Amino acid sequence: MSDPIRVLVNGARGKMGKQTCIAVDAANDLLLVAQLNRGDDVATALEKHKIDVAVDFTVPNVVFDHTKTYIDANVHPVIGTTGLDEKQIKELQVMAREKKLGGIIAPNFSIGAILMMHFAKIANRFLSHAEIIEMHHEKKLDAPSGTALKTVSHMQTAQLACEHNQFASRGLIKNNIPIHSVRLPGYVAHQQVILSGEKELLTLRHDSIDRSCFMPGVVLACRQVQQLDELVFGLENLLDL
Ligand code: NAP
């Protein structure tokens, strides 16, 4: 049997970090060797523990610097923290490409959510107008969600169905698709993509009801990143869709 993959979890005390530690611990081929929290020095830990894969579930304002540190140390990044913008993602991808280092940035590790995005992309070829409503818990730091932004990046509508988009309540419009963000206690992570055609509507809805739903995707990513030679954006890159 080959050596287990040595995994570091950054943000280990957080809600996603805790779940990740449990999932990594339970996987025979993964070894949880380091758990980092706010205040820990990332570069020192990577070197000290001989890390293969770093999983990051921290906060938006530090994830860019963390990811640069992983890449600099030739550690494969598995980035779940949301909030990276397009420019930052491109910069990180260039850094990883120069080193031929595999990694993943995934705004959503749930398989069901990836399927929702995939179906939305297919449906959008036939149903020309769309809006998104995403609902998350009240502690989420970014809005709209990374998943909503990723969904619209796969979609494009020629024009908005409604002409009255000057009101804030029409949402944030990306690729001619309004995104509406709801933040309330009780939600985990939920999204509806509503598409409309000629006198018909199609609603695709995905609900993450417990954070453990992200773990099969996180474990899959930990297992596969070493075989990649670039930093891919989205779990769909690891699934045979
Ligand atoms: P959380 O419970 O607030 O956890 C974040 C953790 O990061 C906290 O323990 C926090 O520590 C820690 N932290 C803050 N600054 C840090 C630093 N500089 N270095 C190391 N750790 C630091 O949030 P969460 O719900 O787990 O979510 C974490 C991130 O994952 C968010 O960006 C969220 O949007 C994203 N997320 C992604 C997915 C996905 O599938 N990709 C799914 C769910 C959530 P303190 O407690 O000391 O502040």
Side-chain angles (χ1 to χ4, degrees):
M1 206 178 124
S2 53
D3 289 340
I5 300 165
R6 299 174 65 80
V7 179
L8 170 148
V9 176
N10 204 352
R13 268 199 303 258
K15 292 181 282 300
M16 290 296 289
K18 275 186 204 146
Q19 292 278 346
T20 304
C21 291
I22 295 167
V24 170
D25 236 0
N28 289 338
D29 53 343
L30 305 179
L31 191 63
L32 180 63
V33 283
Q35 302 181 36
L36 298 197
N37 294 292
R38 184 198 290 267
D40 289 336
D41 187 77
V42 180
T44 308
L46 295 175
E47 200 184 325
K48 180 175 164 204
H49 298 286
K50 299 190 173 29
I51 302 299
D52 298 315
V53 172
V55 183
D56 197 297
F57 281 110
T58 59
V59 286
N61 64 337
V62 294
V63 63
F64 181 64
D65 286 344
H66 283 177
T67 312
K68 283 206 291 193
T69 309
Y70 306 140
I71 296 172
D72 274 340
N74 292 313
V75 169
H76 300 272
V78 171
I79 308 300
T81 312
T82 51
L84 286 167
D85 65 31
E86 274 176 43
K87 190 167 161 278
Q88 290 175 318
I89 293 170
K90 287 216 170 79
E91 191 177 329
L92 294 167
Q93 287 178 320
V94 169
M95 276 182 76
R97 197 171 305 128
E98 279 166 5
K99 292 183 157 237
K100 292 198 174 10
L101 185 78
I104 183 168
I105 299 170
N108 201 317
F109 276 105
S110 126
I111 311 276
I114 301 304
L115 290 173
M116 172 192 59
M117 287 187 240
H118 183 63
F119 297 148
K121 183 179 170 182
I122 296 170
N124 185 220
R125 284 171 43 211
F126 306 99
L127 302 173
S128 54
H129 294 109
E131 302 214 2
I132 290 179
I133 307 172
E134 54 97 342
M135 296 86 92
H136 282 82
H137 57 91
E138 79 289 5
K139 300 224 163 49
K140 185 165 176 61
L141 295 179
D142 50 330
S145 71
T147 303
L149 291 171
K150 186 83 169 79
T151 308
V152 294
S153 76
H154 294 306
M155 298 168 68
Q156 176 80 58
T157 65
Q159 62 183 65
L160 286 156
C162 171
E163 288 172 9
H164 307 288
N165 298 300
Q166 69 273 34
F167 309 111
S169 55
R170 289 288 301 125
L172 180 82
I173 298 172
K174 290 260 176 192
N175 287 357
N176 281 339
I177 300 171
I179 306 173
H180 312 271
S181 299
V182 180
R183 296 290 176 266
L184 281 174
Y187 282 127
V188 178
H190 314 255
Q191 179 168 291
Q192 287 183 42
V193 184
I194 308 166
L195 297 116
S196 108
E198 197 63 42
K199 303 256 186 254
E200 62 177 340
L201 290 160
L202 171 67
T203 304
L204 302 170
R205 176 170 177 139
H206 177 260
D207 297 280
S208 299
I209 49 179
D210 185 272
R211 286 177 179 79
S212 56
C213 77
F214 301 108
M215 293 306 125
V218 172
V219 169
L220 175 82
C222 289
R223 288 183 174 138
Q224 291 201 7
V225 278
Q226 288 178 302
Q227 278 86 59
L228 302 175
D229 58 5
E230 60 177 334
L231 181 62
V232 297
F233 180 49
L235 187 68
E236 64 275 18
N237 291 285
L238 305 187
L239 303 174
D240 189 16
L241 291 174

